[in-house]
Amino acid sequence: MRLFTPRAMNQLPSLIMAVDQKGYPDKHEEADYLEFYPQHNKLHVLLNKKQ
């Protein structure tokens, strides 16, 4: 599976996705990016918590 928008359109603030901004990331690259983003920005993320 690949996203249908280029990396430049999928990245979040303060973290560039990859060198090739015009390329299209696959599902593994996108998942790795989203997993690394909180670590890079020192964010405290809680998963599987009931409110």
Side-chain angles (χ1 to χ4, degrees):
M1 181 176 100
R2 286 205 178 276
L3 294 177
F4 58 87
T5 52
R7 286 180 186 95
M9 300 295 292
N10 291 303
Q11 60 196 16
L12 297 169
S14 78
L15 182 61
I16 293 175
M17 195 169 222
V19 177
D20 180 16
Q21 293 293 293
K22 294 180 181 179
Y24 297 84
D26 66 15
K27 64 181 180 179
H28 300 291
E29 180 182 350
E30 184 69 23
D32 291 343
Y33 175 82
L34 292 174
E35 189 174 285
F36 179 68
Y37 186 80
Q39 296 170 359
H40 174 76
N41 290 295
K42 297 178 178 79
L43 302 173
H44 184 67
V45 177
L46 300 174
L47 302 174
N48 302 316
K49 297 288 181 177
K50 293 183 182 184
Q51 293 188 17

